[in-house]
Amino acid sequence: QVQLVESGGGLVQAGGSLRLSCVASGRTFSSPAMGWFRQAPGKEREFVAAITWWGGGTYYADSVKGRFTISRDNAKNVVYLQMNSLKPEDTAVYYCAVGGSMGVMTRTSYDYWGQGTQVTVSS
């Protein structure tokens, strides 16, 4: 079993920055990756970024490439999402997830999910 707890969301003006954190506990290393996804009202949950536990390979959605950075601290079982140059269209609930065995960018490939943290970007 894996438990995930996100934090760091909030309200920020366009152009600002936030850093999300996700603390994982349990058998996280049986899965290849941890990912961040987001869901805006009325829209499907979409991939944002992912990082592999071993090797540290990173993957990004085109919409966030160059603005967001995913990183991890294996010793602490924490994954971060640094979000810079935020835009109103980044407004969503952000979820971290563990899994990725069938593709690190595929939502259905993830087995465990956190409760989500709200990010709101004002124009």
Side-chain angles (χ1 to χ4, degrees):
Q1 194 72 3
V2 173
Q3 294 80 41
L4 303 168
V5 179
E6 303 102 331
S7 62
L11 173 64
V12 64
Q13 288 189 331
S17 299
L18 283 174
R19 189 177 80 156
L20 305 183
S21 300
C22 178
V23 179
S25 60
R27 296 176 59 84
T28 57
F29 293 106
S30 63
S31 299
M34 178 172 280
W36 285 97
F37 290 76
R38 66 186 182 188
Q39 187 167 19
K43 295 188 176 181
E44 291 190 355
R45 193 170 298 187
E46 65 176 4
F47 171 78
V48 175
I51 188 167
T52 57
W53 286 116
W54 306 109
T58 56
Y59 306 82
Y60 297 94
D62 288 342
S63 59
V64 307
K65 212 171 281 185
R67 299 188 298 123
F68 291 11
T69 303
I70 190 170
S71 61
R72 84 232 189 268
D73 184 334
N74 282 7
K76 297 181 179 179
N77 262 12
V78 179
V79 174
Y80 304 99
L81 185 68
Q82 177 67 42
M83 305 186 295
N84 299 328
S85 302
L86 282 161
K87 305 175 181 180
E89 51 264 44
D90 295 318
T91 295
V93 177
Y94 283 70
Y95 299 89
C96 67
V98 167
S101 59
M102 299 298 289
V104 298
M105 300 174 71
T106 304
R107 177 178 56 84
T108 55
S109 176
Y110 286 79
D111 305 303
Y112 301 97
W113 294 82
Q115 82 289 352
T117 185
Q118 177 70 48
V119 171
T120 303
V121 184
S122 63
S123 56

